[in-house]
Amino acid sequence: MSGSIQEFAISCQGCPEQNPIKGRCLTCNLFMCMNCCMLHQVNELNLYNQHKIVDIEITGSTDQRYDSIVNCELHRQRGCGFCKQCEDVVCTMCVSQPHRDHYIIDMDSGCTFSLYKLKARSSKYQEIIVEMFRHQNTLGSMKQSGYSTLETEVQNIQKQGKTLKDAIDAHTNKLLLELGKKWEAIKNDIEKEEKKTTKYGIELEEKNNNLTNIVDSKCKSAVFEAARTEMSFDGKIDLQTEFNSLPEFNPGKVTECGIESLYGIIKHVQELKSTTNTSLSVLESYKSKFPSIDNIVCCPDRSVLINAEKSYGFEGELHHVKLFNGSLEKIHKFSVDFKSMALLPSGDLLLSTEETALRTISAENKLEKSKYSVAPLKTTGALHITSDGNIIVGVTDKYVYSREDNIIVMNLYGEHIKSYRVYNSKQPQFGDDSMPFKITSDKSRNIYIIVRQESIRRNGRLFVLTDDDNGEFKCIYKGSESSVCGTFDPTDLVVTESSRVIVCDAANLTLHILNTSGQCLSTQNLIKMDIKRTPNCLAIDHRGFVLLGCKGLNQKDAELHVMKLSTM
């Protein structure tokens, strides 16, 4: 038969002769030759009398509960067991290579093991489905709330429109009435002049008729009398030719700005959010021998870079580790001191050493000066690489000649493509003795900057900066209501895929969870989570979990915690 013992000549695991295997002990999990099978069943001390030996050609067990025949994926031969380490069906050929030293169980046990994992996964799916249904209900409530808010705001706009229309109509009537009154006054003056002119006309006509009669009468006495009387009349009449003019209407300019100031605008107030609670829970915790964990970077191969900065009696080290079985397995160690780090798309590690140029550590572990320079300024610990490959770095010139803090954005060629001057009279100032300490960004290109004072570390702030030419601040976060009055010491921050901003606060041993508008959604007290070390840095791994690095006690035993962000 295809896949027979003779064909594959797999050696026995019970003797050194490398005889072909014939059977298998399900209790010992050993593949054995015919001789070893007989010795296993018949021995003087009856050590194995309760063990079950099965023929290797049978698919795993004589007491078979699963009647289907399963072939291994590698050789497409009939399966004879299940590798628990690789979680795969194996044939007699697989037992030799590549599963020779692996833990092999019978097919039924393997199927039971796989069913257990499938049930666990099904249970997990059920939890996710319930969470999705809950989230769907929340979205429905949010949509209903949105419709209600929309209806209210539409009514408010229409009400304002009616108010303005009534005000315009009233003002129109006022102007018309005022114009009418002006016209009435002018018309009265004109009519008075008309009456006076008519009266003068009648009087002059009478005089003229009288003179005509005297001339026609040829009476000498009448002529002399009329001549004396008329000679005293100079013939001048006082006629009014000028009157008050009717006022003109001077229309106002209806500009967009003007109408907005009168009517109003649609203004973003806050993020629409559900009433769900956002929280963090600890999944795994790791202890180290480092004095402190000051920076964390998660690599694409799921390894982690951990930085322990230079301190008293410690020169500063970069550790490349893997999180495995509750311990930090060391891959490589590099002695170097720096303030922050970020991983370039090329795989090189970018470092801020508070000099004029950033440094890099290549895959060959060479520390070199990079092309990313901010001269004559100097970099701070604020260093971040955006999702589209731009490098954002905080800089300061307090060591050079004046006092001004900036945020500079460079492309991968080292060219400066944008600069945010955040210390001037037009925008909120960081403040005296302050500088950018940590920085990150989100998928909407908002920039989040932690600013701390050198002299008063417990007076930190989080600035949220929009990525536009104006570089306007969306908000400034100074700590939550739960923070001790006047104390907020942010040491690092990350933005999750769900657009939640997590800030660790060393002064209050707290994690602050914010939305992208800088509003605090919730706070997590680390002591209640059984974390008693000072939080120092944050990172997001490939699974979306939050990594929290803490300081050690007495220059040792720094801790790393893996946390999950959940909404309920």
Side-chain angles (χ1 to χ4, degrees):
M1 74 180 268
S2 177
S4 66
I5 303 302
Q6 288 77 12
E7 181 181 350
F8 295 123
I10 298 172
S11 55
C12 174
Q13 293 178 310
C15 64
E17 281 78 12
Q18 296 187 345
N19 296 323
I21 60 173
K22 178 62 178 175
R24 180 183 176 202
C25 176
L26 299 181
T27 308
C28 299
N29 193 33
L30 288 176
F31 291 90
M32 299 176 291
C33 62
M34 178 65 74
N35 187 39
C36 286
C37 285
M38 294 176 62
L39 292 174
H40 205 69
Q41 290 178 312
V42 182
N43 59 85
E44 295 179 356
L45 299 177
N46 294 322
L47 296 175
Y48 312 113
N49 57 344
Q50 299 297 323
H51 290 202
K52 179 182 285 187
I53 305 294
V54 295
D55 195 316
I56 194 61
E57 299 291 351
I58 302 175
T59 61
S61 175
T62 54
D63 185 19
Q64 188 175 359
R65 290 175 294 164
Y66 306 103
D67 54 1
S68 59
I69 296 174
V70 183
N71 294 333
C72 79
E73 289 291 330
L74 183 60
H75 305 106
R76 308 307 302 171
Q77 305 296 331
R78 185 176 184 180
C80 65
F82 182 84
C83 177
K84 198 170 182 181
Q85 184 172 339
C86 300
E87 297 184 13
D88 205 357
V89 174
V90 296
C91 66
T92 53
M93 188 174 182
C94 294
V95 173
S96 175
Q97 289 292 339
H99 302 271
R100 179 176 181 83
D101 298 324
H102 292 184
Y103 182 53
I104 309 296
I105 59 177
D106 63 89
M107 292 284 282
D108 280 357
S109 298
C111 191
T112 302
F113 173 80
S114 298
L115 282 174
Y116 176 80
K117 296 202 72 172
L118 290 175
K119 287 178 181 179
R121 179 56 60 91
S122 176
S123 176
K124 183 63 178 177
Y125 285 158
Q126 289 294 329
E127 291 178 9
I128 296 174
I129 290 169
V130 170
E131 187 176 342
M132 290 300 101
F133 275 125
R134 187 185 294 118
H135 184 60
Q136 200 171 26
N137 291 336
T138 302
L139 293 177
S141 300
M142 290 172 65
K143 187 165 67 173
Q144 188 62 37
S145 174
Y147 278 130
S148 177
T149 304
L150 175 65
E151 184 179 356
T152 302
E153 295 306 319
V154 167
Q155 291 175 356
N156 289 339
I157 291 173
Q158 291 174 340
K159 183 180 178 182
Q160 179 70 350
K162 185 177 182 305
T163 300
L164 281 178
K165 184 177 181 300
D166 292 344
I168 291 172
D169 290 344
H171 190 65
T172 301
N173 293 333
K174 178 184 176 182
L175 293 176
L176 292 174
L177 182 61
E178 183 180 347
L179 189 65
K181 287 181 178 180
K182 294 285 185 182
W183 168 244
E184 282 297 324
I186 296 170
K187 187 186 73 167
N188 289 339
D189 290 343
I190 294 173
E191 287 177 349
K192 284 180 182 180
E193 185 65 20
E194 281 180 338
K195 289 178 181 179
K196 186 174 75 171
T197 303
T198 301
K199 181 181 178 182
Y200 282 160
I202 293 172
E203 290 177 354
L204 289 174
E205 190 173 352
E206 288 179 354
K207 284 181 177 291
N208 187 48
N209 289 336
N210 187 35
L211 290 176
T212 299
N213 291 333
I214 291 173
V215 170
D216 291 342
S217 67
K218 299 180 180 180
C219 177
K220 293 180 180 178
S221 59
V223 170
F224 291 137
E225 179 65 25
R228 285 194 299 270
T229 305
E230 293 300 328
M231 290 304 292
S232 62
F233 179 68
D234 59 5
K236 293 181 180 180
I237 301 175
D238 184 17
L239 297 178
Q240 183 179 348
T241 58
E242 293 184 1
F243 300 90
N244 291 333
S245 63
L246 192 66
E248 293 181 351
F249 173 62
N250 186 17
K253 293 182 179 180
V254 184
T255 62
E256 183 178 352
C257 180
I259 196 65
E260 283 183 355
S261 64
L262 289 173
Y263 205 118
I265 59 174
I266 300 295
K267 184 179 179 182
H268 177 74
V269 229
Q270 65 178 17
E271 199 177 77
L272 179 64
K273 62 178 186 292
S274 65
T275 55
T276 56
N277 295 324
T278 305
S279 63
L280 286 160
S281 56
V282 178
L283 300 179
E284 302 167 356
S285 294
Y286 300 85
K287 278 194 176 183
S288 72
K289 296 180 181 179
F290 315 143
S292 178
I293 296 178
D294 298 288
N295 290 281
I296 304 172
V297 166
C298 297
C299 302
D301 63 355
R302 304 185 181 183
S303 60
V304 178
L305 293 167
I306 294 176
N307 171 42
E309 289 182 11
K310 184 177 181 179
S311 59
Y312 178 76
F314 187 78
E315 290 302 316
E317 293 176 348
L318 173 65
H319 294 262
H320 190 189
V321 300
K322 259 196 172 180
L323 311 183
F324 185 72
N325 285 342
S327 62
L328 302 177
E329 288 193 355
K330 184 174 75 173
I331 299 175
H332 184 75
K333 183 179 79 171
F334 195 84
S335 294
V336 60
D337 183 44
F338 57 90
K339 285 297 179 184
S340 59
M341 60 181 173
L343 202 61
L344 286 164
S346 63
D348 290 350
L349 190 65
L350 197 62
L351 308 178
S352 172
T353 55
E354 296 185 322
E355 298 174 308
T356 57
L358 298 171
R359 292 184 174 271
T360 57
I361 297 180
S362 64
E364 293 77 26
N365 295 318
K366 292 182 179 180
L367 180 64
E368 300 173 341
K369 189 175 181 179
S370 76
K371 57 189 172 185
Y372 307 110
S373 173
V374 297
L377 307 174
K378 293 190 176 182
T379 62
T380 70
L383 174 64
H384 171 67
I385 299 178
T386 66
S387 57
D388 52 359
N390 287 334
I391 299 164
I392 307 178
V393 61
V395 299
T396 180
D397 57 3
K398 76 173 188 175
Y399 304 110
V400 185
Y401 51 82
S402 65
R403 182 73 179 102
E404 190 172 270
D405 295 304
N406 290 338
I407 302 296
I408 290 179
V409 183
M410 293 179 274
N411 59 24
L412 292 175
Y413 300 102
E415 300 167 340
H416 292 203
I417 58 177
K418 193 173 290 188
S419 175
Y420 300 104
R421 199 170 296 274
V422 291
Y423 192 89
N424 57 37
S425 58
K426 295 183 179 179
Q427 296 171 351
Q429 298 178 354
F430 283 175
D432 295 335
D433 194 30
S434 298
M435 65 174 61
F437 180 71
K438 293 291 182 179
I439 194 166
T440 190
S441 66
D442 62 19
K443 53 192 175 185
S444 300
R445 295 185 176 179
N446 294 314
I447 300 173
Y448 304 85
I449 313 160
I450 288 179
V451 176
R452 297 200 318 182
Q453 290 180 302
E454 290 297 302
S455 57
I456 310 173
R457 285 198 160 187
R458 295 193 171 196
N459 191 23
R461 285 162 292 167
L462 170 64
F463 288 75
V464 183
L465 181 68
T466 57
D467 180 36
D468 53 30
D469 293 334
N470 297 325
E472 295 182 352
F473 283 94
K474 290 178 68 174
C475 69
I476 302 175
Y477 180 71
K478 299 180 181 180
S480 68
E481 295 178 357
S482 62
S483 301
V484 178
C485 183
T487 62
F488 178 51
D489 186 16
T491 53
D492 203 358
L493 77 168
V494 290
V495 182
T496 68
E497 277 295 318
S498 57
S499 297
R500 291 291 175 258
V501 185
I502 303 176
V503 183
C504 54
D505 177 6
N508 299 281
L509 295 181
T510 301
L511 295 178
H512 301 246
I513 304 173
L514 318 176
N515 61 21
T516 53
S517 297
Q519 296 171 320
C520 185
L521 304 179
S522 66
T523 57
Q524 299 281 141
N525 186 290
L526 294 178
I527 295 177
K528 292 182 179 179
M529 302 170 70
D530 202 27
I531 299 175
K532 300 177 183 178
R533 307 293 171 88
T534 303
N536 216 23
C537 57
L538 291 164
I540 302 289
D541 71 2
H542 65 281
R543 301 165 295 180
F545 293 156
V546 179
L547 272 60
L548 171 67
C550 298
K551 290 185 177 180
L553 295 177
N554 300 321
Q555 295 293 306
K556 61 179 182 179
D557 297 335
E559 294 179 350
L560 176 68
H561 302 277
V562 181
M563 315 175 84
K564 179 183 178 183
L565 182 68
S566 305
T567 55
M568 297 185 65

